Amino acid sequence: MQTTAIQNQTPGNLGIYNQVRSVPADAISPITGGPMKGKSNINPMWRLEMLTRLFGPSGIGWKIEQVSRWTESTGQGEVAVFCEVNLYVKQDGRWSEPIFGQGGNMLMRRTTEWVNGQPVQSVHIDDEAYKKAYTDAVSVACKALGFAADVYYRQDETKDGTFRQDAVLPP
């Protein structure tokens, strides 16, 4: 992955935001299927690299605390897993207040496949669902600092169901 140089801290309230708002092209990939089709996947290692560049090593300049984790069943017999985290960053020798993030993923999904013209019910278990929910929660907490703001701003649906077209995405 191509690394991006962090310039000197931009003064003011948007200092961190402006340093992490853009994502390098090699850290973005299109989502080609499922309910998120057409949106962008951002490599989670980019977030960890940027946290480290801005604040120092994990556990010293930034840290993540898992607050809770739980599962919920749907009426269709599917199971989703959810995770809540607090992100903390250190600036000027002081830890921030908790920066909350919540994420989730499907743990068990029921599907119907057609075999020889007959419907066959099957259950798919995602053995990485807990990790994906945790990663999702961390990405949500990072959004509060401005991480990938240019990508999310463009992809955020407005109240009337349209998408913002005025943000500039990386080439």
Side-chain angles (χ1 to χ4, degrees):
M1 176 187 325
Q2 175 188 348
T3 59
T4 30
I6 298 287
Q7 298 151 359
N8 290 337
Q9 178 78 18
T10 306
N13 293 338
L14 293 174
I16 295 169
Y17 185 97
N18 284 330
Q19 292 182 77
V20 296
R21 68 181 300 154
S22 299
V23 181
D26 63 348
I28 301 174
S29 59
I31 298 174
T32 58
M36 300 294 284
K37 182 178 180 177
K39 296 197 176 192
S40 299
N41 183 44
I42 300 168
N43 187 325
M45 288 306 297
W46 172 78
R47 288 182 193 90
L48 302 181
E49 177 186 350
M50 297 307 288
L51 283 167
T52 301
R53 285 175 175 268
L54 286 169
F55 304 107
S58 174
I60 298 171
W62 63 276
K63 60 185 176 181
I64 300 166
E65 168 190 44
Q66 182 172 293
V67 177
S68 63
R69 185 175 71 180
W70 71 96
T71 59
E72 291 185 20
S73 298
T74 69
Q76 295 77 30
E78 297 181 318
V79 179
V81 61
F82 297 92
C83 178
E84 294 178 336
V85 300
N86 285 330
L87 169 65
Y88 299 88
V89 298
K90 190 187 283 187
Q91 278 198 306
D92 302 322
R94 293 183 25 227
W95 285 104
S96 70
E97 292 295 315
I99 304 166
F100 180 76
Q102 183 180 54
N105 199 345
M106 290 303 293
L107 176 62
M108 184 180 83
R109 190 181 302 270
R110 294 188 173 280
T111 61
T112 302
E113 298 173 13
W114 290 86
V115 178
N116 299 325
Q118 298 295 317
V120 176
Q121 298 287 326
S122 59
V123 174
H124 295 278
I125 304 293
D126 185 347
D127 63 344
E128 294 192 345
Y130 285 93
K131 178 187 75 145
K132 291 175 181 177
Y134 177 84
T135 300
D136 187 27
V138 171
S139 81
V140 170
C142 285
K143 280 184 197 180
L145 292 172
F147 278 70
D150 291 346
V151 173
Y152 293 121
Y153 186 85
R154 173 105 189 243
Q155 293 183 0
D156 279 347
E157 191 170 341
T158 61
K159 289 182 180 181
D160 65 1
T162 61
F163 291 89
R164 299 177 196 272
Q165 299 298 314
D166 53 347
V168 178
L169 293 178

